[in-house]
Amino acid sequence: MVPESHGPVRYGPPLPGDGLPVLPELSAVLAAAAARAESEPVGGGGALIDAACGHWDRRGLPAVPDRVVAAPGAPALLLALTAALGGDVLVPRPCAAWWAPYARLLGRPVFHVATPAECGGVPDPYALLETVRRVRAEGGDPRLLVLSVADDPTATVAPPEVLHETVEAAAGEGLHLVSDETWRDTRHAPHDSVLLSPAEMLPERVTVVTDLAGALLPPGWPAAVARFPPGDVGEGLHARVLDVLTALGARVAGPVAAAAGYALTEPEPVTARRAAAVRLHARMAAALHTTVVDAGAVARPPQAGRHLYVDLGPLRTALGAHGVGDAQDLEDFLTARLGMPAPGGHRFGDDLGAPRVRLSTGDLLGGTDEERAECLDSPAPLELPHVHRALIHVKSVFDDLRDDAQRWESPR
């Protein structure tokens, strides 16, 4: 994209990283496998697949090896699934930045569906029905709905009743669902909320995809797993996805596969690090939420992940005075002011004209491994000097916008 043109955004930002040093036990497993010369088979070797089955079994989603596939990242899996299923693709608005480009790469139309007031990640059931019927009336062929109960970018968790209505609507229209559950294990208050997978509600028509960069592996070690439904539908889809991955040469690197298999078995070092990281990012996200809301912006309270989705519509007057007219302008403006990435909502399929951004908490944890490790170990990470400075800087940027909006507000 040419910055001056603000033309179509072809590729969005990556998954938000955790900003933390690599877990030593994971590094040790990766290093021990570094001398492996043989390639991991397409779809994953036996040890990795068995570990993925155990991972899902512990979450109430029974899995068997001939219905599980591994790939070097969730994008490869979604590309293969989209190619295998055919037809048009439906996604919520906004949605994860990597969902739509892979359908467009295959020449498949992508239709964005509005989300309910309660959450992002899941289409409103009535809007979904209306979109499906409109697309079919115009000669389209909607077959695939991609959704996420723990969502990037909105950092919300879909209530079971909302999810149930959406899944029922999708089932009634004969859609296949891909449930992106990358962030399900990063819920900030897991004991205060109920997370249900669509695969529990509609087991015969849901494929679950999990990118391990969400909760288990560093983003630079690409690995993801998919669980296919039982029965003939799952068998055929599993086979077609393996064909596509084979054509792409999409294999998990051997050392990464070893680390992924270890992480998926959830030994104590991995679960302890995950719990500590979730607590840390929950505190950071809550502080970030308070900062932007106090400045007059709008954001749903974050419930999962390492990010916050912010609507600066109430500060539009102040933004306009700075030459900010759309989400790309806002991305450029806030990235420069904050000194950290602030991808605009258009990256996630949102309206270009809506002044929305995703902010990531990992960018506030410091610039060195020592500072980041200190955040992880501290009982009061928000009081650490480098974190405090980062939060104060964010607060000053948003407070300045609030003050500008109040100063330039028309007298009543």
Side-chain angles (χ1 to χ4, degrees), residues 65-84:
D66 64 357
R67 292 293 188 279
V68 173
V69 161
L77 287 172
L78 186 57
L79 175 65
L81 281 161
T82 306

Side-chain angles (χ1 to χ4, degrees), residues 340-370:
M340 65 186 222
H346 60 308
R347 305 269 187 179
F348 309 99
D350 220 335
D351 294 329
L352 178 63
R356 297 174 186 142
V357 294
R358 186 190 72 186
L359 304 177
S360 297
T361 53
D363 296 312
L364 303 171
L365 301 182
T368 68
D369 281 350
E370 290 74 18

Side-chain angles (χ1 to χ4, degrees), residues 371 382 384-395:
E371 287 179 336
L382 302 183
L384 294 172
H386 61 279
V387 174
H388 182 69
R389 284 193 301 272
L391 288 170
I392 287 296
H393 178 60
V394 173
K395 178 176 170 57

